[in-house]
Amino acid sequence: ADWEVLGTQYTAEGNLEVVAPLDKSDVDIIYPLPTWANRDCVKISPCGANMHNDSTTDTHHNYAGVCNPNGTCSCQQLGSSAVSVGIGRTAACHQKPIEDMTYISAPLKAVGIAFTAVQLLASILFISWTLFYRNEVVVKISQPIFLVLVALGCMILILGIIPLFVEGEYRYQQNPITGDLTNTPNHDIWRADVACMAVPWLFGVGFVITFSALFAKIWRVRKIMHEVQHFRRVVVLPKDVAVIMVVLLVLEISILLAWQFVAPLHWEREVLATDENGYPTKSVGTCTSDLNKAFVTPYALLNLGCLLYALYLCYITRNIPQKMNEGKWITASIIGIFQVLLLGIPILIIVSDDTNAYFFVRACLMFIVSMSVTCFIFFPKLVRLHGRPKGSRPSTENQGPQAELPSGPKSWTLSLSFPKFSRSSTKGILTSNEKTELKMAVEEPKVDHTNSGAVQDL
């Protein structure tokens, strides 16, 4: 029997043409023929949706492009954000979305810079003021070295806002087509890692310097007044109060060093939302650690303990006249800090996924802590020194204990005059009425050439 063969071919557009027998053919034979992948791309893939009007593929028009001979999809005509994925029946053009990296907004960065600048300016001005007026009674009583340390600690603390500006992308590079993370490290991420650990270092060291200076000052005043009540002579050397600062600073640095070497904070970015094709549309970057709680807990407890101990010292020295003791102002600042922390910490937890809110709350906490201490410690002294008429001196009558302390390396003596107390008061604590009768007369500073640098308080 005679067999007649029907020869067909597919064009690049996916159309079927007859090429044999020759008397039935009206087209030329295409050589080489399009691949099966090209046929599938044209006939059934999302990429070829514009070339076939099948109602079942209407949703594929968003992914349509031009099928290449090898079965891939050409997406150049769709813009730079379109990427080609798949081959054959899966060939398509995907519009890669612009990912919202949730970086800190420029206005909020300006606020953080303003907070930092205001606190740095205030600290520098108050340090200069303290050194310039170090021979004034108001400054001498408050001990200039401790005032300088308080201002210095606030400067270091507020610098913790600066590392918050540093942000990064993903820890590993993304595949430009699929958006998936690869195994290739991002070599620029080290900046964000350094900034992550810089925040607890600056905040912790600044906080401890500030409050340990306040502890040392209150402890010194408390020791002097305690011995006065028992009519005993006491010598308080600089090293005696320096121990408090050194111990607290060593504890803080020990925790930070262990944290730094064992499980430091590092930058990680988490995807919050993706589109229908799996491309990330929103992500947030945070500082995290595998042992975060193990180090945050002692770090927070130490700094919280500093606040509580400061409150305790302020309470036991509450009856000491304010001109020798800033307990009232320290108490006010600490209570304010506690109120801010009680509100701020829960808010931080709630807004941890909102970069702008998280940054703003942290910056506000640092600014309020540093500025409240600065204002409560220095402004009352400014008012006392510059608020009185020019040329007048503060009266020592009915104002409680007074002291004039030198600012240099010289030693000083506080000379006390006592009213007649009851017999029972000489055995223990003075009564409240007797405390109000206690007066301290100020003597001019005297240089002790035999024991330079020693501090004598009677």
Side-chain angles (χ1 to χ4, degrees):
D2 295 333
W3 292 88
E4 292 189 1
V5 178
L6 181 66
T8 61
Q9 68 179 10
Y10 277 101
T11 65
E13 292 76 22
N15 299 322
L16 185 63
E17 298 177 337
V18 175
V19 294
L22 295 178
D23 59 342
K24 302 294 184 181
S25 172
D26 56 356
V27 295
D28 296 329
I29 296 177
I30 300 174
Y31 182 83
L33 288 174
T35 62
W36 287 107
N38 174 264
R39 186 194 74 87
D40 291 341
C41 176
V42 172
K43 300 296 288 185
I44 58 178
S45 75
C47 181
N50 289 333
M51 305 180 71
H52 47 82
N53 296 320
D54 189 349
S55 61
T56 60
T57 60
D58 288 343
T59 57
H60 290 167
H61 285 277
N62 293 331
Y63 310 108
V66 177
C67 290
N68 294 319
N70 61 358
T72 60
C73 193
S74 176
C75 309
Q76 296 178 356
Q77 72 280 7
L78 299 179
S80 59
S81 61
V83 293
S84 175
V85 297
I87 187 171
R89 65 179 60 198
T90 61
C93 286
H94 287 176
Q95 290 290 341
K96 187 177 180 181
I98 299 176
E99 183 178 352
D100 180 9
M101 306 294 278
T102 62
Y103 290 131
I104 301 170
S105 64
L108 281 181
K109 286 186 177 181
V111 172
I113 293 173
F115 283 167
T116 305
V118 169
Q119 180 59 60
L120 289 177
L121 179 62
S123 295
I124 292 172
L125 289 176
F126 283 125
I127 289 175
S128 302
W129 178 86
T130 300
L131 296 176
F132 185 80
Y133 291 103
R134 62 186 180 275
N135 292 323
E136 293 288 340
V137 174
V138 173
V139 179
K140 286 182 179 180
I141 291 176
S142 300
Q143 304 163 68
I145 182 62
F146 294 124
L147 293 179
V148 170
L149 287 174
V150 168
L152 179 62
C154 290
M155 288 180 64
I156 298 174
L157 191 154
I158 200 64
L159 289 175
I161 292 180
I162 302 299
L164 297 180
F165 298 150
V166 182
E167 299 173 285
E169 298 184 354
Y170 288 94
R171 195 160 196 85
Y172 295 92
Q173 295 182 9
Q174 287 180 284
N175 186 310
I177 296 178
T178 64
D180 296 331
L181 296 180
T182 65
N183 294 325
T184 305
N186 182 356
H187 297 293
D188 294 329
I189 205 67
W190 67 268
R191 296 183 180 90
D193 290 343
V194 171
C196 284
M197 279 306 299
V199 175
W201 270 99
L202 291 170
F203 181 86
V205 172
F207 190 90
V208 165
I209 290 177
T210 298
F211 281 90
S212 62
L214 297 177
F215 298 160
K217 184 185 184 317
I218 301 174
W219 179 87
R220 178 182 177 276
V221 173
R222 177 201 173 206
K223 186 171 182 63
I224 293 172
M225 298 309 296
H226 180 269
E227 298 303 323
V228 164
Q229 290 177 340
H230 293 82
F231 301 93
R232 291 196 296 262
R233 183 182 182 88
V234 61
V235 177
V236 182
L237 299 174
K239 65 179 182 179
D240 296 330
V241 293
V243 170
I244 299 175
M245 300 184 62
V246 171
V247 170
L248 289 175
L249 197 57
V250 167
L251 288 175
E252 185 83 8
I253 292 178
S254 298
I255 294 174
L256 289 169
L257 283 176
W259 195 355
Q260 181 77 56
F261 289 109
V262 176
L265 292 173
H266 59 274
W267 182 263
E268 289 288 352
R269 181 166 288 278
E270 178 184 1
V271 176
L272 299 180
T274 59
D275 67 0
E276 58 184 357
N277 298 315
Y279 291 101
T281 57
K282 185 177 182 180
S283 61
V284 61
T286 56
C287 294
T288 185
S289 172
D290 296 334
L291 300 175
N292 210 12
K293 293 182 179 179
F295 292 100
V296 171
T297 301
Y299 177 83
L301 289 177
L302 177 60
N303 293 308
L304 181 62
C306 289
L307 290 176
L308 294 176
Y309 186 61
L311 281 177
Y312 168 74
L313 289 177
C314 292
Y315 175 78
I316 63 178
T317 58
R318 65 190 183 282
N319 292 324
I320 297 177
Q322 295 178 16
K323 290 188 178 182
M324 284 192 65
N325 178 29
E326 289 95 346
K328 173 184 176 181
W329 306 112
I330 297 173
T331 302
S333 64
I334 293 176
I335 291 176
I337 291 171
F338 266 119
Q339 291 175 340
V340 170
L341 293 178
L342 287 176
L343 292 174
I345 292 177
I347 293 175
L348 278 176
I349 297 174
I350 294 172
V351 302
S352 59
D353 289 338
D354 188 331
T355 305
N356 285 325
Y358 191 63
F359 167 81
F360 182 72
V361 174
R362 295 174 76 185
C364 285
L365 288 177
M366 294 184 189
F367 180 71
I368 292 174
V369 169
S370 59
M371 185 55 71
S372 62
V373 174
T374 301
C375 291
F376 280 117
I377 295 301
F378 286 96
F379 271 98
K381 297 171 180 55
L382 284 174
V383 173
R384 287 186 59 198
L385 181 60
H386 302 289
R388 66 176 186 265
K390 187 176 181 180
S392 65
R393 294 180 61 85
S395 173
T396 59
E397 294 296 329
N398 301 322
Q399 293 182 5
Q402 305 253 343
E404 184 170 351
L405 307 180
S407 58
K410 301 177 291 183
S411 64
W412 63 84
T413 302
L414 292 180
S415 179
L416 309 179
S417 61
F418 302 98
K420 294 182 180 180
F421 299 135
S422 63
R423 181 180 299 272
S424 61
S425 65
T426 61
K427 298 180 180 180
I429 305 302
L430 302 179
T431 65
S432 59
N433 291 332
E434 290 170 341
K435 287 178 181 178
T436 60
E437 297 176 3
L438 182 62
K439 297 181 180 179
M440 300 182 67
V442 179
E443 291 186 349
E444 292 298 326
K446 300 178 181 180
V447 179
D448 186 354
H449 298 286
T450 60
N451 187 17
S452 179
V455 179
Q456 295 185 8
D457 295 291
L458 182 59

